[in-house]
Amino acid sequence: MNIHEYQAKELLSKYGVAVPMGKVASHEDEAEYIAKDLNVEKFVVKAQIHAGGRGKGGGVKVANSLEEVKRLASEILGMILVTHQTGPEGKLVTKVLVEEASNIATELYLGMVIDRATENIVIMASQEGGMEIEEVARTNPEKILKEHVDPTVGLLPYQCRKIAYFLGLKGKTVNKAVKLILGLYKAFTDNDCSLAEINPLIITNEGEVYALDAKMNFDDNALFRHPDVEKMHDPNEEDPTELEAKKWGISYVKLDGSIGCLVNGAGLAMSTMDIIKHHGAEPANFLDVGGGATAEQVLQALKMILSDPNVKAIFVNIFGGIMKCDTIAEGIITAAKEVGIEVPLIVRLEGTNVELGRKLLSESGLNIITGKDMGEAAAKAVEAAK
Ligand code: ADP
Ligand code: MG
């Protein structure tokens, strides 16, 4: 799960991470009121969407007066902000963060992620702040320091000093950075984060160290331990079909291809996408109805697939274990009657009650293409989508 910058900053400041003063607003008057309360001379108005690159996209603006804060807030609120992370369709801005503008001397980078290979948390730091770190990693990997933290020992102060020196810090700013890095690490581990990124981490002209931007991702499987984090979830940021899928207990991820997939089990769903690619086409979605889906869930899943106008064929790939093939067949037949399936439907069934499932389908009068195995069925699906 992702949260907004303003939420990440609120959370991080509880851990002693220094952030600029500021508050979130959803109306221009509220933005002006917050600015007045900040009692500073220069402000920044920042669009709150779950995507980076807002600065370049025109979603981060400096204001020199309360009137300007109000005007910029009214411009940014309601805009469709397009950045390299939103895709060309962009994202509607419904909230802005109004904060004091910092006098930036240096922009640095600080990030933490879980490194599966070493089973550690790895801290990344670079003097190339404010830029895309992926780009730095590609062109100048030596400009990124990677410091591994053994989770059983925890992050030690000497490691933070090493990071601070690598960032070129001196004197009092070293201690301030150490405090910030320790705070970020504690926030990361306490809340089961999978990623925390401060880009840029800044040093101000006055020698303060601030997290000027903040991005945090949380492990969905650990959210039950953090109801306060879960409350920060913003449904506006999610694909509506993916939200609908969650309601029905279905894992659905929309993709860009033309072949809709309905599969049971995440592993089979992945290999179904692979085999579609292998035969030269692209999947329109990942969809796992789960191990013990009901006919109702199958119906809902088919509706979701059909709601995507890019879908040119549907490939149902089911291995009946706990899930019975006749349940799938029933779901398909009901869906066909209820919503009408106008694109070719390719079905591969195997496993529990497969004979009964096949019989139901063949007696349904539906125009269904079958395959004797996964490879053949996938090839037929790709052919049918053309
Ligand atoms: P994004 O990464 O989505 O572009 P950031 O929060 O990193 O958004 O902001 C982009 C840039 O805007 C920063 O690199 C910084 O130069 C400037 N900026 C952001 N917040 C402030 C602030 N409070 N004071 C001064 N400049 C800021
Ligand atoms: Mg940023």
Side-chain angles (χ1 to χ4, degrees), residues 44 46 52-55 60 99-102 104 107 199-200 212-213:
V44 179
K46 308 180 77 176
R54 296 163 301 162
V60 179
E99 62 181 20
E100 61 169 324
S102 301
I104 304 174
E107 296 202 359
N199 191 19
L212 209 66
D213 189 6

Side-chain angles (χ1 to χ4, degrees), residues 3-38:
I3 59 175
H4 287 291
E5 174 196 6
Y6 79 92
Q7 295 167 318
K9 282 179 168 170
E10 276 170 20
L11 179 66
L12 289 174
S13 63
K14 288 183 195 148
Y15 286 87
V17 173
V19 299
M21 286 190 298
K23 277 209 179 99
V24 71
S26 40
H27 188 275
E28 62 201 66
D29 291 339
E30 196 186 359
E32 187 186 9
Y33 183 80
I34 290 166
K36 197 169 165 211
D37 227 27
L38 286 175

Side-chain angles (χ1 to χ4, degrees), residues 198-217:
I198 309 298
N199 191 19
L201 171 77
I202 61 152
I203 313 301
T204 67
N205 291 339
E206 300 80 26
E208 294 304 323
V209 181
Y210 282 144
L212 209 66
D213 189 6
K215 177 182 163 123
M216 294 177 91
N217 291 354

Side-chain angles (χ1 to χ4, degrees), residues 1 112 133 161 254 283 321 364:
M1 191 188 100
M112 294 184 187
I133 200 67
R161 284 195 294 275
K254 185 170 165 4
S364 68

